[in-house]
Amino acid sequence: MSLDSRGVDRRRLLGWGGLAAAGAVAAGAPLGAARPGHADPAPTGDDIPPDTRPGGAYDRYVARLAAEDRFSGVVMLSHKGRTVLSRSYGMADKEKGIRNHEGVAVNLSSGIQPFLSVAVLQLAQQGKLGLADTVGAHLTGFAKDIAEQVTIHHLLTTTSGLNAPELDLQRTFHSKEEVHEFNRQWTRQAELAVPPGTGNQVHTNGAGAGLSIAAQIVEAVTGTTYWDYVHEHVFRRCGMTGSAFYTRPQWLTDEHIAHSYMRQADGSRVDAVRNLDKGSIHPAIQGKNPGRAFIGYATDDGFATAPDLVRFVHALHDGTVLDKPYADLLTGAKFPRAAAGNGTPLARPSFTGYTGPIKIIAGQWLFGRGGGTGGSIANWNVYPDSGWVGVVLSNYDDVPIQEITQQELRAITGQS
């Protein structure tokens, strides 16, 4: 699995909603090298806080990070379908001299997982599967207890109770077929460690195997690959023209895909996809390089642009991708989370959803997803009650993502 930014403690760098204490904002930070993206005329009115606007506190904060080479990528704030702020910093490809811009696709790592839930819910909406269906109702080759006890609901909430073999982070894949066959074989080595529904296996190989099993169920029901299904029925339907599960050759040649720059022990950064012999130095994913994957699958390494993530949110809202009851099911709280990953009590009401957390903050719901891997960190937050969407996509893996999203939260809600 990837370094999943839901976590705390050893994964603290990549905090899920980014809700850690933020540093002070330098009010005079220059906007300098910022490249404004497409922006609608700035909305006026009391519902657009000053700190969200160009030149506001959030804009100045990210500009300061970029000036210190602590951020490279894109930030975007959208309110009720209108872009309030869009900034791009740094280089998408240093070797070719291509700068980041809002049309650049960045590796979301595990931030790609909600699209799996959308695919499953589309099929449930069509009556082609049920969330209470067991693994054995659609797939063969699994141990009897997994086949008969683990449901699709368990898979999407990472409560399947599975344990799976450790992944070899040094392995380099060479084709989509190899990736697919590896996932098929790996998941069938899983064992039932605890009764399904009795504990959350988030951040474990068992949770990753569960999501891979859910993608294989999509394939069994539809007769197509998971990649083709998501591209056709999720990305294309939402108008996400810059988003995809890109292959390594595409990553190397397509100029609109940002290269991921991994911090090294000597302080340098290296291009992951051009240096497959190098890996991440972060303890949670020591040695991992996303370029070795060839192509991502259900749990990891899909790419998206910031405007595309905003388009996805609005496609959820207007019924384009799911009927309203199923969209509500996607973003609804399934059960409360009593503590963070390290046992620390949570500061705000927080709930497990389908491949994503849901929180109550400043009197409103917040749902979204984050992810991080060697060379990339991403986070997208949705504030459905007030119409805001915040996106942070970085092709550095050492950006202070918790602080950035804390500043986003403060700019939108006025609260830390």
Side-chain angles (χ1 to χ4, degrees), residues 123-145:
L123 298 175
Q125 177 179 299
Q126 298 165 23
K128 295 181 178 179
L129 57 76
L131 296 171
D133 288 356
T134 60
V135 169
H138 300 283
L139 300 174
T140 61
F142 289 90
K144 186 173 185 291
D145 50 3

Side-chain angles (χ1 to χ4, degrees), residues 30-334:
L31 298 182
R35 283 170 296 288
H38 162 75
D40 297 317
T44 59
D46 295 337
D47 56 350
I48 306 297
D51 285 348
T52 64
R53 298 173 183 272
Y58 181 62
D59 193 11
R60 298 195 306 270
Y61 173 75
V62 178
R64 188 193 75 185
L65 292 178
E68 297 170 350
D69 197 32
R70 298 173 63 203
F71 180 81
S72 173
V74 180
V75 295
M76 180 172 285
L77 297 177
S78 172
H79 182 250
K80 297 181 179 178
R82 302 182 70 183
T83 302
V84 175
L85 178 70
S86 176
R87 297 288 191 192
S88 305
Y89 297 93
M91 306 299 291
D93 187 336
K94 296 179 181 181
E95 182 175 293
K96 293 183 178 180
I98 300 170
R99 298 165 75 89
N100 278 320
H101 55 86
E102 71 171 33
V104 162
V106 175
N107 189 332
L108 300 185
S109 185
S110 50
I112 200 70
Q113 292 176 11
F115 301 105
L116 168 63
S117 294
V118 172
V120 170
L121 289 173
Q122 285 181 342
L123 298 175
Q125 177 179 299
Q126 298 165 23
K128 295 181 178 179
L129 57 76
L131 296 171
D133 288 356
T134 60
V135 169
H138 300 283
L139 300 174
T140 61
F142 289 90
K144 186 173 185 291
D145 50 3
I146 295 175
E148 295 181 353
Q149 298 179 41
V150 176
T151 68
I152 294 174
H153 173 80
H154 292 141
L155 300 175
L156 297 184
T157 55
T158 63
T159 60
S160 60
L162 297 179
N163 187 26
E166 288 292 324
L167 297 172
D168 178 7
L169 298 184
Q170 303 301 317
R171 176 170 176 170
T172 298
F173 292 84
H174 300 284
S175 69
K176 294 172 71 172
E177 292 75 19
E178 183 184 356
V179 171
H180 193 275
E181 180 60 18
F182 170 82
N183 275 273
R184 192 191 70 81
Q185 293 187 17
W186 176 57
T187 53
R188 282 157 179 80
Q189 297 174 54
E191 298 176 348
L192 195 61
V194 297
T198 59
N200 198 329
Q201 289 77 51
V202 65
H203 306 313
T204 68
N205 285 321
L211 298 179
S212 179
I213 292 169
Q216 293 170 54
I217 291 174
V218 170
E219 294 175 334
V221 170
T222 63
T224 188
T225 68
Y226 176 70
W227 301 297
D228 288 345
Y229 183 87
V230 172
H231 288 164
E232 178 67 25
H233 297 279
V234 182
F235 294 156
R236 182 175 295 182
R237 190 179 297 183
C238 295
M240 299 172 66
T241 56
S243 302
F245 287 96
Y246 292 115
T247 64
R248 184 166 62 242
Q250 288 174 305
W251 201 355
L252 283 166
T253 58
D254 191 328
E255 294 187 351
H256 105 285
I257 306 173
H259 287 235
S260 297
Y261 290 93
M262 303 183 298
R263 176 71 78 180
Q264 299 294 283
D266 63 1
S268 66
R269 293 190 181 95
V270 298
D271 182 336
V273 73
R274 290 196 179 104
N275 294 275
L276 299 185
D277 59 320
K278 307 292 186 182
S280 172
I281 63 171
H282 195 279
I285 52 171
Q286 187 74 40
K288 180 173 182 180
N289 180 327
R292 297 177 187 141
F294 189 83
I295 189 171
Y297 196 55
T299 65
D300 216 0
D301 295 335
F303 294 77
T305 69
D308 276 358
L309 292 173
V310 174
R311 292 184 185 104
F312 169 70
V313 173
H314 289 287
L316 274 180
H317 177 74
D318 65 17
T320 296
V321 70
L322 286 171
D323 291 347
K324 186 177 186 305
Y326 287 88
D328 291 343
L329 184 57
L330 174 72
T331 61
K334 305 302 180 288

